[in-house]
Amino acid sequence: MLLISAIVSGLAVGSMYGLIALGFHVTYVVSNTVNFSQGSSMMLGAVLGYTFAIKLGWPMPLAVAMALALCALFGLVVERALVRPFAERGSNAWLMATVAGGIVLDNIVLFTFGKEPRAFPSFLAQKPISLFGAGVFPLQLIIPLVGIGIAIALHLAFHYTRLGKALLAVVQNKDAARLMGINVRRAIAFSFALSTALAGLAGLLIAPLFSVHSEMGMLFGIKAFAVAILGGVTSASGVMLAGILYGLLEALITAYAGSTYTQIVAFTVVIIALAVMPNGLLGRAASKKV
Amino acid sequence: MTAPKTCPSVMTFVILAMTVAAVALVFGTKGYTHFIIALVALTTIVGVGLNVLLGLTGQVSLGHVGFYAIGAYVAGILTIKGLSFWLAFPVAGLVAGAIGALLALPALRVTGPYLAMVTIAFAFIVQHTTIEWKDLTGGQNGLMGLVPPQIGARIFAEKELALFATLLAGVSLYLFSRLANSAWGKAMVAVRDSETAARSIGLNPVSIKTAAFAISAVFAGLAGAIFAPLMMFVAPDSFPFSQSILFLLAVIVGGAGWVLGPVVGAIVTVMLPELLSHLAEYRLLFVGALLLVVLWIAPEGIIGTLARFLRRIDPAGAKAAPDFDLAQFLSGGIARHRLEVSGIGISFGGIKAASNVSFTAEPGRITSVIGPNGAGKTTVLNMIGGFYKPDAGHINLGDSELAGAAAWRISRAGIARTYQTTQLFGEMSVLDNVLVALRQGRLGNPLRGAASEEDRRAAEALLAFAGYHGAMAAPANSLPHVDRRLIEIARALATRPQVLLLDEPAAGLMKSDKVALSALIKRIADLGVAVILVEHDMALVMGISDHIVVLDAGSVIASGLPADIRRDPRVLKAYLGSGEMKARPRPAPWSGSQDAILTCLKLSAGYGAAPVLEDISFTVKPGEMVALLGANGAGKSTAMRAVTGLLRPVDGSIIVDDERVERMPAHRIAASGVALVPEGRQVFPELSVRDNILLGAYTRKDADREAELEVLLNRFPRLRDRLSSRAGLLSGGEQQMLAIARGLMAGPRILLLDEPSLGLSPAMINELFDVLAELRDDGVTILLVDQMAVLALSVADRGYVLESGRVVRDDTAVGLSGDPALEAAYLGRAEAAQ
Amino acid sequence: MSAASRIPQIARRLLLAATAVTVVSIPAFAQDTMKLGLVAAMSGQSAKSGEAIVRGMSIAIDEINAKGGVLGKKVELVVRDDESNPAKGVVAARELVQREGVVGLFGGLDTPVSMAIVPFANQAKVPFMGVWAAGTPITRNGAAENYVFRVSAVDVLVDKALLAYAVKKYNAKKPGMILINNSWGESNEKGLKVALEEKGMASVGIEKFQDADVDVVPQLTRLKEAGADVLFMVANVAPSSQVVKSLDRMGWDVPIVSHWGPAGGRFSELAGPSGAKVHFIQTFSFNGNPSPKAKDIFAKLQAKYPEIKTLADVTPAVGIANSYDAMHLMTLAIGKAGSTDGSKIREGFYAIDKYDGLIKSYAKPFTPANHDALSSEDYIFTYFKEGQILPLTN
């Protein structure tokens, strides 16, 4: 009972981490930069979904599509305003800029959306179904499926499609990619749009299990970053796997050692894992020649 | 990020003045201002620590609030337990420093975002430990009733604490300026700029980075120890993760690597929120937005951006003091030993890259290692230099066994090296590059200046000896290729090596530079150094070598005197090719349409202020093969970059067919049918050979990709065998073929080739020019830039000669080949091997 | 983009930002005002609490100023954001006292922030009034001259009341605790342990969870397997609802006796119908409150803040009520002192005889031995039904 419920909740929460972490993966493989406001992007997805579906009463598919589209737009803004001005001149100030961008977005949402957490009801998270004796919301089973599905789709897209390979080419050699006729700026912008849309999707999926407010993404963003790194940020499947493992780890520590130790043990595992596997679970170091 | 360059004594004065001003401010103001000054000072102290880590060693830590918290808790707990603050204060710094050194263990195994994550995880572990270790830390509710420091009867309230923090901040800045100018500081920058090169001048990156981590943590811990009595209360929530980001922000906003960066950054990041405090709930929004504005305006930090306007480089060049005895300096009075390599071998993933390689390098002699691309020459150098650990065999210098030792140990044992692509410490000055190597890894007192007068004389003498006459204060990454080669050799010599490994030193040099280089190598050997040379330029190798070792497929196939090697049939077959290098001219002179495919009219372009190209004009007609010739730096590659759109903006016009493209971005020019095979191949190393070729057709909609791929594989049969392997694993020659195949896959109207023969073995060059001749005969329009001017002209129909960015001659290839003046200036018949 | 074309663009951005800052930053140079300071969480996840405090105080100030203010001066509230960070809270408190010259300070939701301000307030001899944070040692801080007062619940008293209720109503024998992992949770962990010990009882398990925990099932399963028959819950509204949702999913129907967290927002919306099973403690509720004063204040709130339409919009009511009463008590004390001198105001607090407040009629609310205006008799148990907080009759 304890084990099954821990596994079920670990899987669902872990795939959430994985989904946001895939956003880190996407921008990293294309541009070697990441958006440290991913947590805020996730929050934006949930807040917009709530606004469209609950406040304005739009049909759910339309609300979701619109929320994801606006999240993608936010990604474009992040890339254009917070990453490109720094990354193109080789400065790593994009790190700070995206953090600051996240703070600004959180606070804008605080004043426009409101200060109270709101509920985002969904029929997928109201009646639990029984799985091996443990109660589970259907949504908790859907999240891992979506997460794994997207990780597989990303892997296939990057390795077996023309566009995917073009995106991979961009990070390996920007000039050579240009010479192939690849619009490098657009490719990078696209990766950011995709990355924030993935985070937005994570926000929409988690909202019915959680609550919607301006700071809901903060800790998720940090844990997702841990997961992205742990999985080896260059590998989509590694990132998703790490997400699930991290979620399971947290749930199992809580279930068997008690919640006091969850964070300490989980973060210690991150450090040890990285010391043993400096490129993460499935990540690969760029081939280096002396 | 640039290492501090301001003269230390001026800097000391500035720091003193700022400290005095802050102290005066404390005396002139009251309560709240004291408090803010104290916070600015504490942030400065933490910032100085982060600056050691970020500014000097280039490592990002997002976990420094952890050390700050450790310092605060240690001081708080010890003073509550009755220990005097004046004892608790240094203990807090030491504890933080020890934990910093401990964190360095896992942290040093990772880089980039992985390192960021390790530090973030550390901060969270510290936070949760302070929450859960209730007996010691008071848990979530923290420690109350902290005892203020006291001297005699004087209890330290905020005023005294502000003074104390200000003084400590001043001392921290001063220590940083001393550290940055010490051998330790230079070594940290060296490790940041090129860890590889740092190891090969005897620096141990692990101990240097660990030291940086520990020093950095000490500063944060000391600041935390003052923070505790200032707040009179510490709790886990006093050290939120966001504070780590603010600390880092202070350093970045101020300017990482600059002595005064942290103080400027601390003033901005502490004062800004205070100035906006009346905005209450809107404060964070504005703080976030204003920080973005600061980052936009000054992306290199405030000091870094200011310095960009003020920076001037002292143009003084190196002058050898007449009484400086270089031979004495190099020998150091020690007996010279020979290097004996016996039976070494190594395999990567089951593939033998080298096996049973043996040879001896005698002091005062030049031993050359030659062989085709992929023969394992650099692998052998890497084993000798300690970058690879051989699976078998011995490497002995005199009596000491070096096989498998760490690179920095091997360097200290007396083996120095240079690299195929120069590995200078790019942000450091030329002089510092040499000075840091002089220490042979012995860094000494971290607060003493790096260089004595004697060191400076030695460094100047070495630079002058190597033939570098440019500014010694110039940052190394701003210099042209030739100078970087020479400085790298001077730097290698600064370690007083018994053995010097040179990895393709002549690659990319023009004839006159090669002549000077051969002379330099001979002079080095004459000073008693055993030189091991890996080089493709046969004229150079044959001209100066005392002994030659030929490798093929990882094994020695011949060794002996140059004259013997030259005649050895195995060597001829494997490497030199059948006799002289030559290329096949067009059977009959070219005649075709006169409507140019590519026209450049009055094209000017450059990087920054100085134009590299001035008003050059040239045309290429359909089916024609045109060569652009000229010395290094004449502007050939710049012209290629301008035509393909990689370099923008340009003046003048570039017309492809009837379309003007000079304002188009590169990807659109590529789509319009201009394909460049760039200098250095630039294949996508992580993609398969097949994917690389297919990406060439990225913009084509109608192509039958599989059929065209098949045609290309017939033309380049070597690629067929490697079709699914990663391009990065290919040898240089194979990569060049791949790059050409990729260019052809675009079905280009014109194919541009930039230095295709660079770094290839003679046999491979012959094969390459055969391919070019075939393509020409098949009607492909080609614009070729190549250092091998004789070969280029023999395949081309016409040529343009560039000099200092201008076209000085254009004629048919035959006409140019016969011009003796040009030959003397640029071509040099000797370069086409013997 | 060339460097030249960037500059005007940046200059424009800068100008915009600067204009925005100056517009917002013109300070109220009102002469002759009596400044009182508030240090509370105005941003972040506790922002709602700061808003409630400001609302309660603003209504009180309007009433006070309509009657001519205090000591002949109008009262002005100066608000600072502490970002829930004790260090920021201390800086803000110092700035208010030492630069703005406020006569008295109010604190916000977070116990650690208030704890951090306590030593400064006592040292600077500035009255510091808690209106929310319930941490026991805030007022019982051991200072010889204690300048800290409070109109709010006190954890140690709340915890006794929670236990008494659980025993009386549910005949609890094996209670378990599910606590938020912050200082508030920890303060109540201590308080509940003491309360249990006094009754000769023990908890079967103490579990912590985080604000961002989506799923509390592992913790609750541990409590269930330990045989808990009642759960004590201490957490703000959103995490509290996570507990309820997790219980729903487990299908574990266990009584929950809770601190006042659920009152801080739209609990029934967040927790769903099962939210009604949670019985939580309150110092005040507009719902089912017969007093005319409550009706009057609610009307004033509606007039001043048009976004308040129904009772569900005045959350958290306790924050509004506590701060409303606290502001009145503070000005009464200043009036009694007849001076803005801190130590005189402190005496002024002791001199207050009677004040008809929103929460209750205070009689001698403060004495040198008792700095808490509310006591365990003022606690009521309530539950949420369809967005309304309804009192439970014992």
Side-chain angles (χ1 to χ4, degrees):
Chain A
M1 174 66 187
L2 189 59
L3 181 66
I4 289 168
S5 67
I7 288 176
V8 168
S9 67
L11 276 179
V13 174
S15 6
M16 283 286 319
Y17 296 152
L19 211 49
I20 308 171
L22 283 178
F24 286 115
H25 157 74
V26 169
T27 59
Y28 189 81
V29 292
V30 176
S31 66
N32 254 331
T33 53
V34 292
N35 171 9
F36 273 98
S37 60
Q38 273 295 80
S40 305
S41 315
M42 172 199 153
M43 175 274 295
L44 190 64
V47 164
L48 290 174
Y50 176 89
T51 309
F52 296 143
I54 312 292
K55 239 186 196 157
L56 303 179
W58 295 6
M60 191 55 88
L62 179 64
V64 167
M66 197 63 194
L68 291 183
L70 289 178
C71 278
L73 185 68
F74 173 66
L76 294 179
V77 172
V78 167
E79 194 276 329
R80 182 66 190 84
L82 308 179
V83 177
R84 191 189 298 175
F86 307 108
E88 282 195 354
R89 55 170 93 188
S91 152
N92 59 5
W94 51 264
L95 194 157
M96 287 292 121
T98 54
V99 170
I103 295 175
V104 170
L105 179 66
D106 286 358
N107 281 281
I108 289 175
V109 170
L110 184 72
F111 298 120
T112 51
F113 174 75
K115 296 168 184 171
E116 280 183 301
R118 303 302 298 256
F120 193 143
S122 157
F123 67 95
L124 293 170
Q126 256 147 16
K127 286 241 160 49
I129 54 174
S130 174
L131 188 80
F132 304 112
V136 184
F137 287 137
L139 187 57
Q140 284 182 294
L141 299 176
I142 292 172
I143 293 174
L145 293 181
V146 172
I148 292 168
I150 287 181
I152 292 172
L154 279 178
H155 180 84
L156 295 179
F158 271 129
H159 294 275
Y160 297 97
T161 68
R162 203 171 68 96
L163 182 69
K165 285 172 191 166
L167 289 175
L168 287 182
V170 168
V171 77
Q172 294 174 35
N173 192 324
K174 286 198 173 54
D175 273 356
R178 282 190 187 100
L179 292 174
M180 299 301 110
I182 298 167
N183 186 340
V184 167
R185 282 185 163 177
R186 193 183 294 167
I188 293 175
F190 172 75
S191 76
F192 272 84
L194 180 59
S195 133
T196 45
L198 283 173
L201 178 63
L204 284 167
L205 284 171
I206 197 77
L209 297 172
F210 200 51
S211 54
V212 183
H213 55 97
S214 67
E215 293 209 340
M216 64 184 281
M218 195 103 102
L219 206 58
F220 283 110
I222 292 170
K223 285 188 183 169
F225 184 60
V227 158
I229 295 303
L230 203 57
V233 66
T234 52
S235 153
S237 31
V239 166
M240 202 63 216
L241 178 68
I244 290 173
L245 288 179
Y246 193 86
L248 284 175
L249 179 74
E250 277 191 340
L252 290 173
I253 300 168
T254 308
Y256 288 103
S259 46
T260 312
Y261 303 101
T262 311
Q263 303 302 323
I264 297 180
V265 176
F267 281 114
T268 308
V269 167
V270 169
I271 292 186
I272 293 172
L274 288 180
V276 177
M277 298 175 288
N279 297 306
L281 287 177
L282 300 181
R284 196 173 54 194
S287 23
K288 228 194 265 174
K289 263 192 164 175
V290 176
Chain B
M1 271 188 274
T2 308
K5 293 188 183 72
T6 320
C7 165
S9 59
V10 173
M11 187 49 75
T12 308
F13 178 76
V14 172
I15 294 169
L16 196 64
M18 288 178 80
T19 314
V20 169
V23 168
L25 194 60
V26 173
F27 281 107
T29 54
K30 286 192 296 189
Y32 169 68
T33 315
H34 294 163
F35 204 71
I36 296 301
I37 291 172
L39 287 181
V40 170
L42 294 183
T43 307
T44 304
I45 298 166
V46 181
V48 166
L50 266 177
N51 208 13
V52 172
L53 204 57
L54 178 66
L56 296 183
T57 63
Q59 306 189 85
V60 175
S61 165
L62 283 168
H64 260 54
V65 77
F67 297 118
Y68 196 53
I70 288 170
Y73 269 97
V74 168
I77 291 165
L78 290 180
T79 49
I80 285 177
K81 293 208 188 286
L83 197 71
S84 153
F85 175 82
W86 303 110
L87 285 174
F89 174 68
V91 170
L94 288 177
V95 170
I99 293 174
L102 206 62
L103 179 66
L105 294 179
L108 292 184
R109 294 183 48 86
V110 294
T111 52
Y114 295 87
L115 175 65
M117 189 59 232
V118 167
T119 57
I120 291 174
F122 166 73
F124 275 91
I125 291 172
V126 170
Q127 192 189 15
H128 284 277
T129 307
T130 57
I131 291 171
E132 304 298 346
W133 199 350
K134 295 190 182 112
D135 300 341
L136 201 61
T137 62
Q140 290 276 16
N141 283 310
L143 294 174
M144 278 276 274
L146 298 185
V147 189
Q150 204 171 346
I151 290 182
R154 179 144 193 155
I155 293 172
F156 274 45
E158 60 256 46
K159 181 178 179 185
E160 291 79 7
L161 284 169
L163 286 174
F164 182 47
T166 304
L167 291 176
L168 192 67
V171 171
S172 303
L173 290 170
Y174 174 71
L175 290 179
F176 180 87
S177 73
R178 294 299 297 261
L179 176 71
N181 278 301
S182 77
W184 278 94
K186 305 281 182 200
M188 286 172 185
V189 176
V191 168
R192 177 191 79 196
D193 284 359
S194 168
E195 194 167 324
T196 307
R199 281 148 75 190
S200 66
I201 58 166
L203 299 174
N204 179 357
V206 174
S207 58
I208 288 166
K209 284 184 183 175
T210 307
F213 247 98
I215 292 171
S216 177
V218 168
F219 280 109
L222 291 177
I226 302 175
F227 180 75
L230 183 71
M231 287 290 160
M232 297 185 274
F233 170 83
V234 289
D237 288 346
S238 309
F239 308 98
F241 174 60
S242 57
Q243 187 64 45
S244 267
I245 293 173
L246 282 179
F247 286 145
L248 193 60
L249 192 68
V251 178
I252 290 180
V253 161
W258 299 91
V259 174
L260 297 179
V263 66
V264 173
I267 291 171
V268 173
T269 53
V270 176
M271 298 292 284
L272 190 62
E274 284 314 308
L275 292 177
L276 299 178
S277 64
H278 54 270
L279 295 178
E281 67 255 52
Y282 298 100
R283 170 167 76 171
L284 265 183
L285 182 62
F286 276 90
V287 170
L290 286 179
L291 288 176
L292 276 178
V293 171
V294 174
L295 286 173
W296 275 322
I297 296 173
E300 290 156 70
I302 294 170
I303 300 274
T305 305
L306 286 179
R308 182 207 278 272
F309 293 108
L310 302 173
R311 189 180 301 162
R312 257 181 327 201
I313 290 168
D314 178 0
K319 282 197 199 69
D323 58 335
F324 187 83
D325 186 349
L326 198 63
Q328 174 63 32
F329 166 81
L330 281 180
S331 73
I334 318 164
R336 295 285 186 180
H337 297 291
R338 64 162 63 149
L339 179 78
E340 279 179 272
V341 175
S342 39
I344 58 170
I346 188 168
S347 15
F348 299 109
I351 298 162
K352 276 203 154 76
S355 64
N356 201 22
V357 175
S358 305
F359 62 88
T360 306
E362 300 284 350
R365 299 293 181 89
I366 297 167
T367 307
S368 290
V369 179
I370 62 171
N373 289 97
K377 305 181 298 289
T378 299
T379 306
V380 169
L381 283 198
N382 282 340
M383 284 192 283
I384 300 174
F387 287 95
Y388 296 159
K389 193 172 178 159
D391 300 334
H394 299 280
I395 299 166
N396 296 93
L397 184 62
D399 293 332
S400 44
E401 168 70 68
L402 297 179
W408 58 273
R409 282 191 195 282
I410 285 180
S411 161
R412 291 187 198 183
I415 298 180
R417 73 171 289 185
T418 67
Y419 297 86
Q420 244 177 57
T421 42
T422 52
Q423 296 261 8
L424 291 178
F425 308 125
E427 304 268 344
M428 278 162 81
S429 72
V430 170
L431 185 65
D432 278 345
N433 262 280
V434 179
L435 283 174
V436 72
L438 273 174
R439 313 291 299 225
Q440 293 170 293
R442 285 182 288 275
L443 298 176
N445 183 342
L447 300 179
R448 280 266 304 278
S452 65
E453 204 41 50
E454 186 58 24
D455 289 345
R456 203 171 292 268
R457 266 160 44 96
E460 277 200 51
L462 283 167
L463 284 168
F465 174 76
Y468 174 74
H469 300 292
M472 288 191 297
N477 60 6
S478 69
L479 298 176
H481 181 67
V482 185
D483 287 341
R484 296 160 64 111
R485 288 270 181 227
L486 300 178
I487 295 160
E488 200 181 26
I489 292 173
R491 184 182 68 187
L493 289 177
T495 63
R496 307 181 196 211
Q498 307 214 30
V499 182
L500 176 64
L501 313 175
L502 298 171
D503 196 356
E504 298 198 22
L509 298 194
M510 59 185 276
K511 183 69 194 165
S512 58
D513 292 330
K514 283 182 182 172
V515 172
L517 180 71
S518 335
L520 172 62
I521 296 172
K522 272 193 104 63
R523 285 202 314 261
I524 293 170
D526 290 344
L527 289 170
V529 177
V531 176
I532 297 178
L533 173 69
V534 167
E535 181 51 61
H536 276 311
D537 186 311
M538 281 308 110
L540 192 152
V541 169
M542 295 299 170
I544 62 173
S545 302
D546 296 299
H547 184 83
I548 294 179
V549 178
V550 187
L551 287 183
D552 186 34
S555 306
V556 177
I557 56 166
S559 68
L561 298 173
D564 301 332
I565 294 296
R566 208 178 302 201
R567 286 190 294 271
D568 191 312
R570 285 169 303 174
V571 179
L572 288 176
K573 184 164 174 291
Y575 181 48
L576 294 179
S578 48
E580 199 175 325
M581 279 165 69
K582 61 175 189 292
R584 189 160 48 80
R586 205 187 275 275
W590 176 81
S591 66
S593 162
Q594 297 296 312
D595 303 328
I597 280 195
L598 172 70
T599 308
C600 289
L601 275 178
K602 293 185 166 297
L603 181 65
S604 297
Y607 311 88
V612 178
L613 293 179
E614 284 183 89
D615 278 353
I616 68 162
S617 300
F618 59 90
T619 55
V620 184
K621 293 161 196 151
E624 201 183 19
M625 181 158 178
V626 173
L628 280 186
L629 307 170
N632 269 325
K636 307 184 300 287
S637 287
T638 306
M640 296 298 229
R641 292 175 60 80
V643 168
T644 51
L646 291 178
L647 177 63
R648 285 288 178 269
V650 299
D651 292 327
S653 41
I654 304 167
I655 300 153
V656 175
D657 277 344
D658 291 327
E659 197 178 5
R660 296 184 59 160
V661 302
E662 68 271 6
R663 297 199 183 283
M664 274 190 196
H667 64 273
R668 286 192 46 211
I669 296 181
S672 73
V674 177
L676 171 66
V677 178
E679 183 177 350
R681 279 82 82 170
Q682 308 207 15
V683 297
F684 301 110
E686 302 288 318
L687 294 183
S688 70
V689 168
R690 185 192 158 82
D691 286 345
N692 263 279
I693 299 177
L694 289 178
L695 266 180
Y698 180 74
T699 57
R700 294 175 66 191
K701 303 223 157 33
D702 51 341
D704 178 353
R705 292 186 163 76
E706 290 304 321
E708 291 193 20
L709 178 64
E710 193 52 36
V711 171
L712 284 171
L713 291 178
N714 288 334
R715 198 187 284 280
F716 302 103
R718 281 163 172 272
L719 297 180
R720 190 185 291 277
D721 309 332
R722 313 293 304 266
L723 206 52
S724 56
S725 67
R726 278 197 283 147
L729 300 176
L730 266 52
S731 73
E734 288 168 335
Q735 287 192 6
Q736 188 62 57
M737 295 305 171
L738 173 58
I740 295 174
R742 187 180 65 178
L744 287 171
M745 192 69 196
R749 291 226 283 274
I750 178 167
L751 184 69
L752 279 55
L753 293 128
D754 195 356
E755 302 282 6
S757 73
L758 192 73
L760 300 190
S761 67
M764 199 66 224
I765 291 174
N766 277 344
E767 200 178 320
L768 171 77
F769 274 89
D770 281 347
V771 166
L772 294 185
E774 261 174 52
L775 290 174
R776 174 200 64 199
D777 295 348
D778 291 350
V780 180
T781 309
I782 294 174
L783 178 63
L784 170 70
V785 162
D786 205 291
Q787 201 65 46
M788 300 274 183
V790 173
L791 285 173
L793 280 180
S794 59
V795 288
D797 300 306
R798 282 194 303 125
Y800 292 84
V801 180
L802 295 187
E803 186 181 327
S804 307
R806 295 173 185 276
V807 175
V808 292
R809 274 213 57 184
D810 65 308
D811 202 343
T812 60
V814 178
L816 288 173
S817 311
D819 188 321
L822 281 177
E823 206 171 293
Y826 306 116
L827 311 184
R829 201 161 278 287
E831 79 183 6
Q834 349 149 24
Chain C
M1 196 188 297
S2 77
S5 76
R6 284 189 67 82
I7 288 164
Q9 198 187 342
I10 288 168
R12 229 176 311 136
R13 284 187 193 140
L14 192 66
L15 199 67
L16 269 175
T19 323
V21 172
T22 14
V23 169
V24 194
S25 71
I26 294 167
F29 278 116
Q31 298 291 312
D32 278 344
T33 60
M34 170 92 58
K35 284 186 181 174
L36 293 171
L38 167 67
V39 181
M42 305 303 299
S43 63
Q45 53 187 347
S46 305
K48 188 74 190 166
S49 71
E51 185 185 86
I53 296 171
V54 170
R55 286 180 174 180
M57 290 190 175
S58 300
I59 299 293
I61 289 173
D62 289 349
E63 292 175 359
I64 293 160
N65 287 345
K67 288 184 188 159
V70 59
L71 302 183
K73 292 181 180 177
K74 302 264 184 204
V75 174
E76 182 195 342
L77 185 67
V78 189
V79 183
R80 294 291 181 262
D81 182 16
D82 64 28
E83 298 168 32
S84 298
N85 174 343
K88 299 249 178 211
V90 173
V91 179
R94 283 173 176 270
E95 192 250 345
L96 287 174
V97 172
Q98 294 170 333
R99 203 171 68 175
E100 287 287 339
V102 300
V103 175
L105 278 174
F106 294 95
L109 170 84
D110 298 289
T111 295
V113 178
S114 292
M115 293 290 288
I117 296 173
V118 164
F120 165 70
N122 284 335
Q123 186 198 41
K125 300 187 191 299
V126 174
F128 176 44
M129 171 75 90
V131 301
W132 202 311
T136 314
I138 295 174
T139 44
R140 304 177 188 185
N141 54 45
E145 280 187 47
N146 188 358
Y147 283 81
V148 187
F149 299 85
R150 171 158 56 192
V151 182
S152 182
V154 185
D155 282 339
V156 71
L157 302 181
V158 168
D159 294 329
K160 279 184 192 162
L162 293 180
L163 178 60
Y165 185 81
V167 171
K168 188 172 163 203
K169 174 107 181 175
Y170 300 113
N171 191 23
K173 299 213 160 52
K174 299 165 89 181
M177 301 181 205
I178 181 82
L179 312 172
I180 192 76
N181 191 5
N182 65 20
S183 60
W184 187 36
E186 196 178 297
S187 166
N188 285 286
E189 180 185 343
K190 269 188 210 149
L192 283 167
K193 276 184 183 162
V194 170
L196 285 166
E197 219 167 281
E198 282 175 1
K199 293 226 171 190
M201 295 170 70
S203 73
V204 294
I206 301 170
E207 290 297 325
K208 302 280 187 70
F209 68 114
Q210 313 284 330
D211 270 334
D213 280 351
V214 175
D215 198 334
V216 202
V217 171
Q219 287 93 327
L220 294 171
T221 309
R222 278 169 69 88
L223 292 173
K224 187 179 183 187
E225 300 206 333
D229 56 3
V230 167
L231 295 184
F232 292 124
M233 179 168 77
V234 179
N236 283 328
V237 57
S240 290
S241 65
Q242 291 308 114
V243 171
V244 173
K245 280 194 271 187
S246 291
L247 285 173
D248 263 0
R249 211 162 61 235
M250 292 166 65
W252 185 23
D253 189 11
V254 62
I256 303 175
V257 179
S258 167
H259 208 306
W260 62 11
R266 301 167 187 272
F267 185 63
S268 38
E269 175 186 312
L270 292 168
S274 304
K277 289 189 226 160
V278 177
H279 293 183
F280 56 94
I281 205 161
Q282 285 284 275
T283 54
F284 177 77
S285 160
F286 279 110
N287 279 97
N289 192 326
S291 95
K293 180 114 184 167
K295 293 206 165 55
D296 174 42
I297 302 295
F298 182 69
K300 283 179 173 159
L301 279 166
Q302 276 183 312
K304 196 168 171 89
Y305 304 101
E307 64 269 31
I308 297 180
K309 295 193 176 68
T310 67
L311 285 173
D313 296 323
V314 270
T315 52
V318 284
I320 293 175
N322 288 354
S323 52
Y324 172 88
D325 279 355
M327 176 54 82
H328 273 292
L329 286 166
M330 176 75 91
T331 50
L332 280 176
I334 297 172
K336 291 272 180 201
S339 149
T340 56
D341 177 69
S343 45
K344 294 220 173 93
I345 299 174
R346 179 166 161 261
E347 296 301 325
F349 274 108
Y350 303 143
I352 299 172
D353 292 320
K354 193 171 176 319
Y355 156 61
D356 269 326
L358 177 56
I359 296 175
K360 65 169 181 179
S361 258
Y362 297 83
K364 268 275 171 208
F366 300 110
T367 66
N370 175 30
H371 281 216
D372 278 297
L374 299 182
S375 68
S376 44
E377 295 99 71
D378 303 315
Y379 300 151
I380 49 171
F381 277 86
T382 58
Y383 71 108
F384 250 110
K385 197 181 171 199
E386 286 153 14
Q388 309 269 339
I389 296 177
L390 301 177
L392 285 153
T393 41
N394 286 10

